Amino acid sequence: MSKRKKKRLLIRVSILTVLIAAVVYTLYSTLTDDDRMLVKAGDAAPDFELTDLDGNAHRLSDYKGQGVFLNFWGTWCKPCEKEMPYMENQYQVYKDEGVQILAVNVGESEFQVNNFANEYNLSFPVVRDAQKDVMYAYAIGPLPTTLLINPEGEVVKVVKGEMTEEMVAEYMEMIKP
């Protein structure tokens, strides 16, 4: 075999090896995505403190004894935008029954979040996770993601993706004290 053919074979084998490694890594990442989630159903919800649009601090632990509908969202996220009115409607139904909503905006400016909250007339606490610390602590992937937390502070369910109003009502019923 000539030197040129050996060199070509070596390059082809190297490229093939890299491609196979990439495919294996992608499959592994996809199949173990849920296993890597730091916070899942059955876990105690990590405590955090974030500030709302009026400057008031909200600690998750302050809501102990109530169900918490913890929603991570962004103003640019169309599914988030679609489910906000559903959340507002159901908040009006469940707020006096011991279910609270904490809407955690991820990484956006106060101006953007304020405009969004005003546009949708949101009455539940909207807090900003400007540095994305809480998002990373909860290992939040795609937005919207909602964690249902029971009155004891335990995560009951993690919901990834858009919810219908019926789903929001069903989930609030699940975490009602």
Side-chain angles (χ1 to χ4, degrees), residues 19-37:
L19 287 173
I20 289 172
V23 168
V24 167
Y25 175 76
T26 302
L27 287 172
Y28 174 78
S29 294
T30 303
L31 296 174
T32 62
D33 185 39
D34 289 341
D35 296 338
R36 289 193 329 251
M37 184 189 256

Side-chain angles (χ1 to χ4, degrees), residues 73-97:
W73 66 282
T75 61
W76 50 267
C77 165
K78 291 300 177 192
C80 302
E81 188 176 349
K82 193 172 177 184
E83 69 187 15
M84 280 296 170
Y86 307 151
M87 289 167 48
E88 179 61 35
N89 292 343
Q90 294 308 311
Y91 179 67
Q92 295 307 320
V93 173
Y94 284 94
K95 68 181 179 181
D96 295 330
E97 295 186 36

Side-chain angles (χ1 to χ4, degrees), residues 136-160:
Y136 293 136
Y138 277 80
I140 300 300
L143 297 181
T145 294
T146 302
L147 287 91
L148 307 175
I149 302 170
N150 68 18
E152 292 76 40
E154 179 182 288
V155 176
V156 175
K157 184 175 182 75
V158 178
V159 182
K160 294 180 182 182

Side-chain angles (χ1 to χ4, degrees), residues 68-71 79 82-91 94 99 101 144-148 156-176:
V68 178
F69 191 91
L70 183 62
N71 178 260
K82 193 172 177 184
E83 69 187 15
M84 280 296 170
Y86 307 151
M87 289 167 48
E88 179 61 35
N89 292 343
Q90 294 308 311
Y91 179 67
Y94 284 94
V99 177
I101 291 179
T145 294
T146 302
L147 287 91
L148 307 175
V156 175
K157 184 175 182 75
V158 178
V159 182
K160 294 180 182 182
E162 183 180 333
M163 296 175 285
T164 64
E165 188 156 4
E166 293 76 24
M167 291 168 75
V168 173
E170 177 188 328
Y171 294 150
M172 287 192 168
E173 192 65 37
M174 280 174 68
I175 58 174
K176 187 170 76 171

Side-chain angles (χ1 to χ4, degrees), residues 17-148:
T17 303
V18 169
L19 287 173
I20 289 172
V23 168
V24 167
Y25 175 76
T26 302
L27 287 172
Y28 174 78
S29 294
T30 303
L31 296 174
T32 62
D33 185 39
D34 289 341
D35 296 338
R36 289 193 329 251
M37 184 189 256
L38 293 180
V39 179
K40 55 189 175 298
D43 292 346
D47 198 17
F48 62 85
E49 182 176 318
L50 292 172
T51 305
D52 68 18
L53 301 174
D54 295 324
N56 302 313
H58 293 265
R59 290 184 67 88
L60 183 62
S61 56
D62 292 342
Y63 295 95
K64 198 123 182 149
Q66 299 179 67
V68 178
F69 191 91
L70 183 62
N71 178 260
F72 290 84
W73 66 282
T75 61
W76 50 267
C77 165
K78 291 300 177 192
C80 302
E81 188 176 349
K82 193 172 177 184
E83 69 187 15
M84 280 296 170
Y86 307 151
M87 289 167 48
E88 179 61 35
N89 292 343
Q90 294 308 311
Y91 179 67
Q92 295 307 320
V93 173
Y94 284 94
K95 68 181 179 181
D96 295 330
E97 295 186 36
V99 177
Q100 293 297 318
I101 291 179
L102 274 179
V104 180
N105 176 270
V106 178
E108 293 185 273
S109 74
E110 188 173 348
F111 179 76
Q112 289 172 300
V113 177
N114 221 342
N115 283 346
F116 186 93
N118 289 336
E119 180 180 342
Y120 288 93
N121 243 356
L122 302 178
S123 61
F124 49 79
V126 175
V127 296
R128 289 181 52 240
D129 185 14
Q131 304 304 314
K132 301 181 181 180
D133 295 333
V134 177
M135 182 186 93
Y136 293 136
Y138 277 80
I140 300 300
L143 297 181
T145 294
T146 302
L147 287 91
L148 307 175

